[in-house]
Amino acid sequence: MIQSCRMIRLPEPLLFEWDDGNKAKNWLKHQVTTTEAEEVFFDSGKKLARDVFHSTDLEKRFILLGKTRLGRLLFIVFTIRDKQIRVISARDLNPKERPLYEERN
């Protein structure tokens, strides 16, 4: 289950680092552009949580549910490296995940 997690602070200013493999994968598998993925981080109604299942001692992963400028709801998995956000995966929310975003929005 995804819950808002107030203890997670995103670095400011928001800077993004893109791995070419992940950038291509997100487009080929899910037709999500880097711009769309980045827009979700600026959504005032976004939901942010720790990804406890995929985090390790060396790398903490996070899940972000949010909306792009054009209203597309996305599920983003990311990590923070050297104060930069590195998106690992970006895809559309599935029907079961949509209510998690829509709670209190």
Side-chain angles (χ1 to χ4, degrees):
M1 186 161 125
I2 306 292
Q3 298 177 348
S4 287
C5 190
R6 291 177 179 81
M7 300 303 289
I8 299 169
R9 293 204 184 268
L10 295 175
E12 291 185 22
L14 287 176
L15 300 172
F16 296 89
E17 173 190 9
W18 284 95
D19 170 85
D20 287 337
N22 284 342
K23 188 184 330 183
K25 176 189 73 173
N26 291 325
W27 174 251
L28 292 172
K29 287 181 74 175
H30 307 292
Q31 288 71 55
V32 177
T33 67
T34 57
T35 301
E36 286 179 303
E38 290 177 7
E39 288 174 1
V40 172
F41 286 85
F42 298 95
D43 173 11
S44 62
K46 66 185 171 286
K47 301 291 194 286
L48 183 62
R50 287 189 171 88
D51 184 348
V52 295
F53 297 109
H54 299 101
S55 291
T56 67
D57 289 338
L58 298 175
E59 182 173 84
K60 304 292 182 225
R61 289 193 178 185
F62 305 95
I63 295 170
L64 178 67
L65 306 182
K67 189 182 291 189
T68 68
R69 284 186 306 110
L70 295 177
R72 187 176 182 185
L73 293 175
L74 296 180
F75 183 104
I76 308 285
V77 177
F78 70 97
T79 191
I80 299 172
R81 292 185 186 167
D82 300 321
K83 297 185 181 179
Q84 291 187 326
I85 293 170
R86 185 176 179 111
V87 174
I88 297 164
S89 178
R91 62 170 175 77
D92 289 300
L93 288 182
N94 69 39
K96 290 182 180 180
E97 295 161 344
R98 289 180 80 87
L100 298 173
Y101 174 80
E102 293 165 351
E103 288 175 7
R104 291 178 271 163
N105 277 343

